[in-house]
Amino acid sequence: KVEMPALSPTMEEGTIVKWLKKEGEAVAAGDALCEIETDKAVVIMESNDDGVMAKILMEEGSRSVRLGTLIALMVEEGQDWKQVEIPPSEAASPPSAHAASAPVIPPLCLTLASLSRLRLSPAARNILETHGIDPKLAIPTGPRGLITKEDVLNLLKTSPVPKTTPVMAAPTAPGPVLTTAAAPPPPGSRPNIPPLSVPGKPGEPGTFTEIPASNVRRVIAQRLTQSKTTIPHAYASVECDMAAVMNLRQNLAKEQIKVSVNDFIIKAAAVTLKEMPEVNVTWSGDGPRALDSIHISIAVATDKGLITPIIKDAANKGVQEISANAKALAQKAREGKLLPEEYQGGSFSISNLGMFGISGFSAVINPPQACILAVGTSRAELQLCESNNTLRTQQLMTITLSSDGRLVDDELASRFLAKFRANFEQPQRMALS
């Protein structure tokens, strides 16, 4: 049995991107079987045994395949792979069986309070409220018992949508009234406005096209929401003079050493963390946790979303080595070939949007890290030299630190930025090799 493996510590389900072995093809231990999109990246799944690929049970493009799900069958060499027997499914019976045995429940006027006890996706919640269906009839297949849109659509296919009938007379028995008839709203209340956008034919007004979210995109959404709702973000900015870094880059270029401004930023951040270990911390369930190593996470934009590969031990590396590491990791990230150890365990993040012309911005902290540094583009400003009363052009860059107020207070964040600026504006203070 070939089952969906856990290819990252936080993975709960995966997507079969591509099969690299065909049915009837010989397989050796260590051979690549398929490409699987996890919650972090696209990872190659390797075979643990020798044999022959007998049956592929999950085709390419199969989404939300839970861990442990049977995705293929292999047989030993010499066996007739065409006669392989598919074991009976251990999954739950289809929704139709449950729907047929479930008692018929009259339609309910659903409220947000009645739905809050169940875990519902936004799309599932909207469909249930629109059709007046009890969410308890749906069979959840999402992670941790989440009722997905597909679960509700399957319920609609197996159970007819209840027709709304007006109430002719009020019941004489005491108790709550369950009805689908819309009562006139009281004066001053907000009317129940239907959604403006509904699925329909392309080109019709008020229509939309649903785009399936990748595993990576779903995890990004979860982590960003977690960060902004559970971490008290604080922000502070400084202006850094780029003159010394630009001059040093030009001198290195004459020796055929090409490094970017971002490489100096990574180096300056790592050296500053080494000088101020109280900032090199993360938040655990019980409180602060001091880190022994300085691993800088760099934000890389890919087709599937943002991912943060790690420059390990950045404080002990020269700018040239940091540059080589950053380029290699960025390329692997865009190709979806990062290994788990190459994007897990960072202690401090850097996000640079200067190449897109962004003057300055505030980045979202990557939990459980304490800080992320947002880097804007450089700009020329005229400065007055007090010594001789002349004007000179100065290249400035805005650096904004987002910090976790539980770990890095405003005073500590200010001292970190001041020391970072000193290191960056005097690159000779940092070891280059």
Side-chain angles (χ1 to χ4, degrees):
K1 295 183 180 181
V2 181
E3 298 176 341
M4 174 63 73
L7 298 174
S8 79
T10 56
M11 177 181 172
E12 296 181 350
E13 58 187 28
T15 297
I16 307 293
V17 178
K18 182 180 180 181
W19 280 101
L20 304 177
K21 291 289 185 180
K22 299 178 181 179
E23 292 182 0
E25 190 172 350
V27 178
D31 283 358
L33 293 181
C34 62
E35 294 179 354
I36 296 177
E37 181 189 16
T38 71
D39 57 342
K40 299 289 186 181
V42 177
V43 182
I44 293 178
M45 175 185 176
E46 298 180 350
S47 174
N48 295 325
D49 305 294
D50 298 334
V52 177
M53 177 65 70
K55 185 66 177 177
I56 294 176
L57 302 177
M58 289 288 178
E59 300 295 332
E60 293 181 359
S62 298
R63 304 175 57 82
S64 302
V65 182
R66 301 287 296 173
L67 298 185
T69 301
L70 191 63
I71 61 176
L73 293 171
M74 288 176 54
V75 297
E76 295 182 359
E77 295 182 7
Q79 290 184 333
D80 187 357
W81 61 271
K82 295 182 180 180
Q83 300 299 323
V84 66
E85 293 184 3
I86 301 177
S89 173
E90 299 177 358
S93 55
S96 58
H98 289 263
S101 61
V104 178
I105 299 178
L108 302 176
C109 290
L110 299 179
T111 63
L112 291 178
S114 65
L115 296 180
S116 61
R117 293 186 293 271
L118 298 172
R119 299 190 72 249
L120 301 165
S121 70
R125 186 187 301 272
N126 181 53
I127 296 174
L128 289 169
E129 291 177 343
T130 302
H131 294 284
I133 300 175
D134 187 353
K136 295 180 181 178
L137 294 177
I139 301 175
T141 62
R144 297 183 295 279
L146 177 71
I147 297 176
T148 66
K149 174 185 174 183
E150 289 73 18
D151 300 333
V152 179
L153 293 178
N154 289 332
L155 180 61
L156 286 176
K157 293 177 183 178
T158 56
S159 301
V161 178
K163 297 182 179 179
T164 59
T165 56
V167 177
M168 301 305 296
T172 56
V177 178
L178 301 179
T179 175
T180 57
S189 65
R190 183 177 178 180
N192 184 19
I193 302 175
L196 297 178
S197 298
V198 295
K201 297 180 180 180
E204 291 183 359
T207 64
F208 59 84
T209 301
E210 291 197 9
I211 302 174
S214 65
N215 294 336
V216 175
R217 177 57 62 187
R218 282 198 295 268
V219 171
I220 290 174
Q222 293 170 0
R223 288 181 62 80
L224 288 177
T225 303
Q226 173 196 356
S227 178
K228 291 296 288 185
T229 55
T230 63
I231 297 178
H233 283 57
Y235 308 98
S237 300
V238 293
E239 305 291 343
C240 295
D241 188 346
M242 301 181 62
V245 167
M246 299 302 291
N247 290 335
L248 183 55
R249 285 185 68 214
Q250 292 176 359
N251 294 333
L252 293 175
K254 294 176 182 178
E255 302 178 17
Q256 304 302 314
I257 300 175
K258 296 183 179 180
V259 292
S260 68
V261 173
N262 200 56
D263 301 326
F264 284 96
I265 294 172
I266 295 171
K267 178 65 177 180
V271 170
T272 306
L273 287 172
K274 189 173 184 178
E275 295 173 343
M276 299 181 63
E278 61 269 33
V279 182
N280 192 41
V281 294
T282 59
W283 181 267
S284 65
D286 300 325
R289 178 179 296 171
L291 301 176
D292 298 328
S293 55
I294 298 174
H295 300 331
I296 304 296
S297 303
I298 55 174
V300 176
T302 71
D303 294 337
K304 297 182 181 295
L306 203 67
I307 193 167
T308 52
I310 298 170
I311 307 290
K312 294 187 176 182
D313 297 319
N316 298 324
K317 293 181 178 179
V319 175
Q320 189 174 3
E321 186 177 1
I322 289 175
S323 178
N325 288 170
K327 290 176 182 176
L329 288 170
Q331 183 65 26
K332 292 182 70 174
R334 296 186 182 100
E335 294 174 353
K337 296 181 179 180
L338 284 174
L339 301 175
E341 59 268 21
E342 292 176 323
Y343 57 80
Q344 294 175 358
S347 59
F348 186 96
S349 292
I350 294 176
S351 180
N352 191 340
L353 295 181
M355 67 285 295
F356 300 109
I358 303 300
S359 57
F361 68 103
S362 300
V364 181
I365 295 171
N366 184 19
Q369 296 177 14
C371 299
I372 182 171
L373 204 64
V375 182
T377 189
S378 62
R379 67 188 185 279
E381 287 192 3
L382 288 176
Q383 298 288 333
L384 177 64
C385 295
E386 297 180 357
S387 58
N388 53 11
N389 253 2
T390 59
L391 293 175
R392 67 183 182 91
T393 301
Q394 191 176 21
Q395 287 291 123
L396 298 178
M397 178 176 60
T398 301
I399 301 289
T400 301
L401 181 72
S402 302
S403 55
D404 185 341
R406 300 171 299 180
L407 297 166
V408 180
D409 58 27
D410 293 341
E411 187 270 340
L412 182 57
S414 300
R415 287 196 290 115
F416 176 87
L417 285 175
K419 192 171 288 290
F420 170 87
R421 178 169 55 187
N423 286 326
F424 180 78
E425 292 183 350
Q426 303 175 61
Q428 65 273 14
R429 294 177 53 177
M430 304 182 295
L432 297 181
S433 60

